[in-house]
Amino acid sequence: MSDGLDTPAELVQNAAKAGVTTLAITDHDTTLGWDEAIIAGRQHQVRVIPGIEVSTRQLIGGNRSISVHILAYLPDPTNSALVQELEKTRRSRIERAKKMVALLAEDYPITWEMVLAHLPEGSTVGRPALADTLVSMGVVPTRSDAFTSILHSHSRYYVSDYSVDTTDAIALIRGAGGVSVIAHPLIDFPAGASMTDLPAEFFKILIGAGLNGIEIEHRSVPKQAKQWLKNLAVKHNLITTGSSDYHGIDGKDNRLGENRTEPAMLQRILDQASGFEAPL
Ligand code: AMP
């Protein structure tokens, strides 16, 4: 219900085909896909762990901020503080996408209605929907090509969006009984950078705010940072997870089951969560 190309039911069916027995579904800033995924999970004998990928922003000195995605596993989907914040984010994403469409329309015959045709009703709008529209118009051959060219954050068509502060999001997730895990950390860490450049202070702030875990096994987490992240997790008794971040066959190169979470770590998530009971 955000930027994956499979419907929640198709996602679960494809997971079953790929031999996945337990699957987390974490759409951006919405819980709209949970029910459909849970029902499909019962049909296909896949245990579905409902979650959200919360878009957040963290100030990193001066007036510079970075985009940080925080996975919220098993929060109460009716928690009013969380629901309100997610609604605010989704509304701002619509305004931001409309602004990007207006800029793109100066050079391409794109309209907001065309973008809406690529989204199920009520779902979270992001650059992937713009990418799909541009692909359908023949402007770019694939989603990835759109991201590396006209939709890149340095492109003149790019507009940034409102996101809740990362530390506030961690507190909101905890308040809703969820477990917070930082998604694919350090994906922008330069390949040649020294290990001493790793942002220890940034993680200290997140851990101080109550972060529960780190997603380490993910194709975009830099190899040279993984051991550092594992040591950090041990030091602070954090959960570590692995995930595919699958977005559909044509959504991204990521394939179902390509990275996994250890059963003991899943158990820690289940033990720490109190917002929503994971279906058996
Ligand atoms: P947005 O949050 O609207 O700025 O868009 C970012 C989202 O686009 C991320 O959460 C990814 O899921 C998706 N994304 C980023 N890079 C790519 C890519 N190369 N191909 C497909 N999807 C991407």
Side-chain angles (χ1 to χ4, degrees), residues 3 28 69 93 96 126-128 143-144 147 158 247 251-252:
D3 55 2
H28 278 278
H69 292 163
R93 281 178 156 272
R96 176 258 198 153
R127 278 182 290 163
R143 251 192 189 195
S144 288
F147 270 90
Y158 183 81
H247 279 63
K252 262 186 179 182

Side-chain angles (χ1 to χ4, degrees), residues 3 28-29 53 55 67 69 93 96 100 125-128 131 143-148 151 158-159 161 184 245 247 250-253:
D3 55 2
H28 278 278
D29 310 304
E53 185 168 2
S55 312
S67 157
H69 292 163
R93 281 178 156 272
R96 176 258 198 153
M100 285 188 71
V125 185
R127 278 182 290 163
R143 251 192 189 195
S144 288
D145 289 300
F147 270 90
T148 51
L151 296 184
Y158 183 81
V159 177
D161 55 348
H184 45 62
D245 207 359
H247 279 63
D250 296 321
K252 262 186 179 182
D253 294 338

Side-chain angles (χ1 to χ4, degrees), residues 140-158:
V140 281
T142 66
R143 251 192 189 195
S144 288
D145 289 300
F147 270 90
T148 51
S149 59
I150 41 185
L151 296 184
H152 194 276
S153 57
H154 296 134
S155 142
R156 76 171 203 86
Y157 307 111
Y158 183 81

